[in-house]
């Protein structure tokens, strides 16, 4: 079970490898030092002695050889502590990223289902004319990282749409009757809707007005359902027809 856990976690696997490598090197150096000390001092010819003076003499011979083991243990303790913190941090980040991705997928599905349902209630709109994924990414540009705040870019797009409606409203109020160039208005509104991922074509005046109205209502509904805390401006009321 433990081996399976280690193999499944690359960071933990690397930590165990470093731990074993450092431990093996330290033990090997200590053993080599002890062996060379024994050979140089011919301690293998000495009789067994357990007196205090003998043990003190023996300890003096192998003191630094044993210190290698102490240093190795200290290093292993540090590696285990620092490495454990690092592995825990990586595990936390990995879990957070996985959770953020799951939230992103779940949130997008809710958004997609809601949008499809709202479109189905409109008689002039078609799902195929709306790039739902583009619209979602425009609104929630950081959702993959778990941030569901409305993006600044979407706020700017909504403000640009309102500005276009205001421009047409103002032109209608200031212009002579029948002088409002609706074709030019269609060109500008088609461009604005493209920013939302919505494809809108040219239509006769009344048809375009109805489709435009349903699209504006759809955007307003989305804003009310998913952007309640973002301080988005309301869609401006149209005064032209």
């Amino acid at each position: 079970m433990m081996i399976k856990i280690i193999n499944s976690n690359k960071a933990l696997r690397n930590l165990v490898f470093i731990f074993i490598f450092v431990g093996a090197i330290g033990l090997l150096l200590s053993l080599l030092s002890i062996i060379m000390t024994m050979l140089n001092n011919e301690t293998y010819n000495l009789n067994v002695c357990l007196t205090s003076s003998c043990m003190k003499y023996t300890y003096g011979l192998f003191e630094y050889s044993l210190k290698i083991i102490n240093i190795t243990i200290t290093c292993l303790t540090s590696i285990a502590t620092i490495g454990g913190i690092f592995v825990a941090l990586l595990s936390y980040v990995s879990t957070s990223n996985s959770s953020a991705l799951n939230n992103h997928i779940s949130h997008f599905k809710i958004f997609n289902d809601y949008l499809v349902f709202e479109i189905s209630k409109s008689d002039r709109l078609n799902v195929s004319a709306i790039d739902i994924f583009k619209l979602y990414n425009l609104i929630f540009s950081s959702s993959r990282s778990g941030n569901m705040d409305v993006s600044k870019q979407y706020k700017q797009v909504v403000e640009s749409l309102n500005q276009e409606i205001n421009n047409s409203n103002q032109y209608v109020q200031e212009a002579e009757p029948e002088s409002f160039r609706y074709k030019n208005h269609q060109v500008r509104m088609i461009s604005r809707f493209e920013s939302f991922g919505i494809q809108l074509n040219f239509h006769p005046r009344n048809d375009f007005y109805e489709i435009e109205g349903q699209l504006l209502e759809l955007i307003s509904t989305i804003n009310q359902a998913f952007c309640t805390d973002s301080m988005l401006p309301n869609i401006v009321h149209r005064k032209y027809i």
Side-chain angles (χ1 to χ4, degrees):
M1 182 66 178
M2 183 61 67
I3 295 177
K4 186 176 181 180
I5 294 175
I6 293 174
N7 289 334
S8 63
N9 191 317
K10 184 178 180 181
L12 183 58
R13 187 168 65 248
N14 291 338
L15 176 62
V16 171
F17 173 78
I18 294 173
F19 190 87
I20 294 175
F21 179 78
V22 172
I25 292 296
L27 182 60
L28 180 61
L29 290 175
S30 180
L31 288 175
L32 287 175
S33 178
I34 291 173
I35 292 172
M36 293 181 67
T37 300
M38 291 177 65
L39 293 175
N40 289 337
N41 293 277
E42 298 182 351
T43 55
Y44 49 84
N45 290 325
L46 297 176
N47 295 324
V48 176
C49 178
L50 297 177
T51 63
S52 177
S53 58
C54 290
M55 294 181 68
K56 184 177 181 180
Y57 172 75
T58 303
Y59 178 77
L61 288 176
F62 298 105
E63 178 181 3
Y64 290 98
S65 299
L66 296 175
K67 279 189 175 181
I68 295 176
I69 296 178
N70 290 333
I71 293 173
T72 301
I73 293 174
T74 302
C75 290
L76 292 177
T77 302
S78 300
I79 292 172
T81 302
I82 298 174
I85 295 173
F86 182 70
V87 170
L89 179 61
L90 289 180
S91 298
Y92 172 77
V93 172
S94 177
T95 302
S96 297
N97 289 339
S98 177
S99 177
L101 181 59
N102 290 335
N103 290 339
H104 163 74
I105 295 173
S106 177
H107 192 246
F108 173 73
K109 186 178 185 306
I110 294 173
F111 180 86
N112 180 81
D113 293 345
Y114 179 84
L115 192 58
V116 170
F117 175 73
E118 289 297 322
I119 293 173
S120 68
K121 296 191 298 184
S122 304
D123 60 338
R124 304 303 297 267
L125 303 183
N126 195 312
V127 175
S128 62
I130 301 177
D131 188 338
I132 299 178
F133 191 70
K134 178 180 179 179
L135 177 58
Y136 179 83
N137 283 335
L138 174 65
I139 302 174
F140 307 106
S141 59
S142 302
S143 67
R144 288 182 180 273
S145 59
N147 184 357
M148 300 302 175
D149 292 338
V150 176
S151 68
K152 292 182 179 180
Q153 184 181 1
Y154 181 69
K155 294 179 182 179
Q156 293 172 354
V157 170
V158 172
E159 290 171 355
S160 296
L161 178 65
N162 276 340
Q163 184 61 48
E164 202 59 64
I165 297 174
N166 280 327
N167 290 341
S168 293
N169 285 342
Q170 184 177 0
Y171 187 84
V172 166
Q173 292 175 345
E174 296 176 353
E176 295 294 330
E178 304 299 328
S179 65
F180 178 54
R181 297 183 180 276
Y182 209 85
K183 208 69 175 179
N184 293 339
H185 169 78
Q186 288 194 27
V187 171
R188 296 193 300 270
M189 291 301 289
I190 287 173
S191 176
R192 289 290 174 263
F193 282 121
E194 283 180 355
S195 301
F196 289 86
I198 299 173
Q199 181 182 357
L200 178 60
N201 299 319
F202 291 101
H203 292 279
R205 182 168 183 157
N206 290 336
D207 291 339
F208 188 91
Y209 184 82
E210 290 183 13
I211 297 172
E212 178 189 75
Q214 291 187 9
L215 285 174
L216 293 175
E217 180 63 28
L218 178 65
I219 293 173
S220 179
T221 301
I222 291 172
N223 291 347
Q224 293 174 10
F226 291 90
C227 313
T228 53
D229 298 329
S230 61
M231 302 299 291
L232 278 175
N234 294 326
I235 300 299
V236 174
H237 177 68
R238 297 176 298 166
K239 299 178 182 179
Y240 53 84
I241 186 172

